[in-house]
Amino acid sequence: MKYVNEVLSIKYPIIQGGMGNISNSQLAAAVSNAGGLGTIGCGTMTPEQVETIILETKEKTDKQFAINIPINVSPYTEELIQLVIKHKITVVSLSAGNPAPYIALLHEHNIKVIVIVAAVKHAQKAEEAGADVLVAEGFEAAGINSNLELTTFTLIPQICKHVSVPVLAAGGIGDGLGLAAALMLGASGVQLGTRLIATKDSPFHANYKQRLIKADDNETVILGRSLGQVRRVLKSPYAKQIIELEREGLSEGQYRHMTSEDFHLIGALSGDGENGFMNSGQVAGLIEDIPSVQELFYRMMSDAQAVMEDRLRLFTK
């Protein structure tokens, strides 16, 4: 098995997930500086907005970082592809759409391509199209999810069995035990999202971070299932309002408006759960502190090694 840090030339087999319009240079640079791969998620931002974040990130780190382009979400996919080429970004992750039309062009410019997948069939097609790395994202993950609703624990080994490129596990992972479990299931690393929100380096509202720290195992809720537009968020008055409207027959257009990045920004940056939402994966129930990204990564690597060695010692008895 090839570890993702070999393919992407990073110290630790840990990358940051795209965070849509709340992406920022501060957290992306902190992840890369800590030995992982920071990521700027384009969401629905304009190429000009994304370019500003790219330039800010380059000022904060001399390490490489990735750009996530959600193909069918962004109205600027073609322009964003040209933007990453212009700025010599070395890694691009593609999600929410067919990556095949873009991989060859990115490879022509020596750009490694990560593709986010949620089923074995998707993974095989992405590999055939030339993906260098796959992120297999389980239903536990935050934000927009596949309506297939496959869990990380079952998804990872099935995908790893059917592809030969490195696979990263995403969804429900936020500590060394999760990293160790992902490796044992066949993954070569992990992608983090929610856990990175609750770090000293993330510029999100204190209310958001405190909600994650205080979260129990049942703190998240699914929106949009009736519309085939699955999203996992923290429970809040705003999320409750959407669920109630769904029961009354909320239209797809109304749902898309209420879960747009405008309301994501209100929740994440203003900490306002009355008028906006906060994305969160089920891993929230495991979050108990707010370390720096550097501290988090060191702890994850140390704990993963310790638990694997300990379990092997007990198992061989």
Side-chain angles (χ1 to χ4, degrees):
M1 174 176 64
K2 237 184 181 179
Y3 284 91
V4 71
N5 48 314
E6 297 177 63
V7 177
L8 301 180
S9 301
I10 53 179
K11 183 177 181 182
Y12 299 133
I14 304 172
I15 75 169
Q16 174 189 359
M19 293 179 175
N21 290 34
I22 68 168
S23 286
N24 58 87
S25 60
Q26 184 174 323
L27 183 56
V31 171
S32 290
N33 285 335
L37 181 71
T39 300
I40 297 168
C42 297
T44 58
M45 289 188 284
T46 66
E48 291 76 20
Q49 290 174 305
V50 175
E51 186 168 36
T52 296
I53 301 175
I54 288 173
L55 294 174
E56 290 173 350
T57 307
K58 286 185 173 183
E59 290 178 357
K60 293 179 172 66
T61 183
D62 58 0
K63 305 288 196 303
Q64 65 175 344
F65 54 91
I67 303 294
N68 169 250
I69 303 174
I71 297 166
N72 292 334
V73 173
S74 173
Y76 309 105
T77 296
E78 302 292 337
E79 295 94 326
L80 292 169
I81 293 291
Q82 293 303 317
L83 185 67
V84 300
I85 293 171
K86 171 186 173 181
H87 285 283
K88 296 180 169 55
I89 302 299
T90 57
V91 183
V92 168
S93 71
L94 300 173
S95 58
N98 179 14
Y102 308 102
I103 294 178
L105 175 60
L106 292 169
H107 280 170
E108 284 178 20
H109 294 272
N110 299 313
I111 298 171
K112 298 286 187 182
V113 180
I114 301 170
V115 177
I116 318 301
V117 298
V120 171
K121 184 178 180 180
H122 300 159
Q124 290 174 316
K125 286 188 174 181
E127 182 180 39
E128 289 171 7
D132 300 289
V133 176
L134 302 176
V135 171
E137 186 171 73
F139 182 55
E140 299 93 328
I144 298 172
N145 270 313
S146 167
N147 57 14
L148 297 175
E149 301 192 13
L150 299 175
T151 65
T152 302
F153 209 79
T154 56
L155 181 63
I156 299 304
Q158 291 185 76
I159 287 182
C160 290
K161 181 180 178 181
H162 289 92
V163 300
S164 57
V165 295
V167 176
L168 299 178
I173 300 163
D175 56 21
L177 274 70
L179 173 57
L183 297 177
M184 292 300 96
L185 290 171
S188 70
V190 298
Q191 175 180 282
L192 304 183
T194 303
R195 186 61 184 93
L196 291 172
I197 299 292
T199 60
K200 294 175 183 176
D201 302 287
S202 75
F204 305 117
H205 200 280
N207 290 350
Y208 193 177
K209 297 183 183 184
Q210 288 302 313
R211 283 293 311 281
L212 293 174
I213 289 176
K214 295 176 181 178
D216 61 19
D217 58 343
N218 193 34
E219 196 70 18
T220 66
V221 66
I222 293 294
L223 307 178
R225 182 180 275 122
S226 65
L227 299 164
Q229 305 287 328
V230 176
R231 178 187 287 270
R232 187 179 295 280
V233 302
L234 285 172
K235 290 179 177 178
S236 69
Y238 189 76
K240 183 179 180 182
Q241 178 187 352
I242 294 175
I243 291 171
E244 290 173 351
L245 288 171
E246 257 192 272
R247 291 180 183 137
E248 296 171 6
L250 183 70
S251 72
E252 184 173 338
Q254 291 172 313
Y255 173 78
R256 286 184 179 277
H257 170 69
M258 294 187 74
T259 56
S260 70
E261 289 297 316
D262 291 338
F263 297 100
H264 186 194
L265 290 167
I266 291 171
L269 301 186
S270 300
D272 184 353
E274 296 281 345
N275 299 295
F277 61 90
M278 303 174 192
N279 284 338
S280 175
Q282 290 184 324
V283 73
L286 295 172
I287 297 173
E288 298 177 341
D289 61 356
I290 304 178
S292 68
V293 174
Q294 181 75 59
E295 292 166 341
L296 174 64
F297 286 3
Y298 180 80
R299 188 166 70 196
M300 285 181 66
M301 295 297 293
S302 298
D303 289 351
Q305 181 176 346
V307 74
M308 287 189 288
E309 290 175 348
D310 180 63
R311 297 301 187 271
L312 178 61
R313 178 178 56 82
L314 292 173
F315 185 77
T316 53
K317 282 187 176 182

